[in-house]
Amino acid sequence: MAFSADELRVLRRALAIALHPAPLQDEDVQDCLRLAESVDEAVHEAGRLRAFLLDDLARYREALPGSLSGYLELLRDALAAGYDPAADDLAALRALRRNPAAAALLARCQVLAERSVRARLARVSQATAPPAALAPSRARLLALPGGRAAADEPKPTPPAPAERPVPKPSEVFPPRRRPVPPPPPEERVAG
């Protein structure tokens, strides 16, 4: 987002007023409101552009492999704009990994997807973590068996296991019985 010279002047005045509160003139208030509207409009327009870009990316992905070059270019642009690659993108790139550009983009997307998943998991674990007031203190954890306090104490040596005699192979593997030979065939009587 780029600001014009007038918008920068208004922003500078607004920051100065925020740091050193002083009574505002009506003109300053109007300038700040106009700047806020401009920023809101730019954010709204950026959201529309992002939605269009993602829809276009989905259309190109559905037309693969015929739209390979266009898809790779759109995906690069989307990644530069902060897009986290979806599972569909990773699957499409895996199918196209024989192309060197697609293989390079696949490696980049896998790193970004992994970062995104780790960040989401961290947010979830922070949201489900107990408040600091309810969290157990670190000193109590040290007193648990196996904690740092236990590491300072000498460990008792475990008793030596009772010695068992090593079994003989004949005890482990009993001898094989020889098969009984079949009875001799009976001679047929011709008659």
Side-chain angles (χ1 to χ4, degrees), residues 3-71:
F3 291 104
S4 70
D6 287 337
E7 289 172 335
L8 283 176
R9 181 182 47 79
V10 171
L11 186 60
R12 195 174 300 127
R13 264 194 325 216
L15 289 173
I17 291 169
L19 292 174
H20 304 287
L24 295 174
Q25 297 176 4
D26 289 339
E27 181 183 334
D28 290 338
V29 172
Q30 293 301 319
D31 288 343
C32 288
L33 290 174
R34 277 193 298 272
L35 178 62
E37 287 174 8
S38 296
V39 169
D40 288 343
E41 184 180 335
V43 168
H44 178 69
E45 196 60 34
R48 286 183 57 220
L49 181 62
R50 180 180 170 87
F52 175 77
L53 178 66
L54 295 180
D55 288 344
D56 211 18
L57 183 65
R59 280 191 296 275
Y60 272 78
R61 186 176 49 236
E62 289 171 8
L64 285 172
S67 62
L68 177 64
S69 62
Y71 173 70

Side-chain angles (χ1 to χ4, degrees), residues 80-191:
Y83 172 68
D84 287 330
D88 293 339
D89 295 312
L90 294 172
L93 289 171
R94 282 187 192 108
L96 301 168
R97 69 176 141 217
R98 290 186 184 173
N99 180 307
L105 202 52
L106 173 63
R108 180 178 172 200
C109 285
Q110 285 174 328
V111 169
L112 292 173
E114 184 177 337
R115 271 190 216 149
S116 174
V117 168
R118 288 180 191 272
R120 276 186 264 144
L121 288 175
R123 284 192 301 266
V124 168
S125 66
Q126 287 175 354
T128 58
L134 300 177
S137 69
R138 181 77 174 142
R140 291 159 109 206
L141 291 177
L142 296 176
L144 291 175
R148 186 180 291 162
D152 296 339
E153 299 172 1
K155 295 182 180 179
T157 57
E163 296 231 1
R164 293 179 45 191
V166 177
K168 298 179 194 171
S170 62
E171 295 172 346
V172 176
F173 305 105
R176 296 169 98 189
R177 292 191 176 165
R178 297 185 191 261
V180 177
E186 296 178 5
E187 293 183 9
R188 294 185 185 182
V189 178

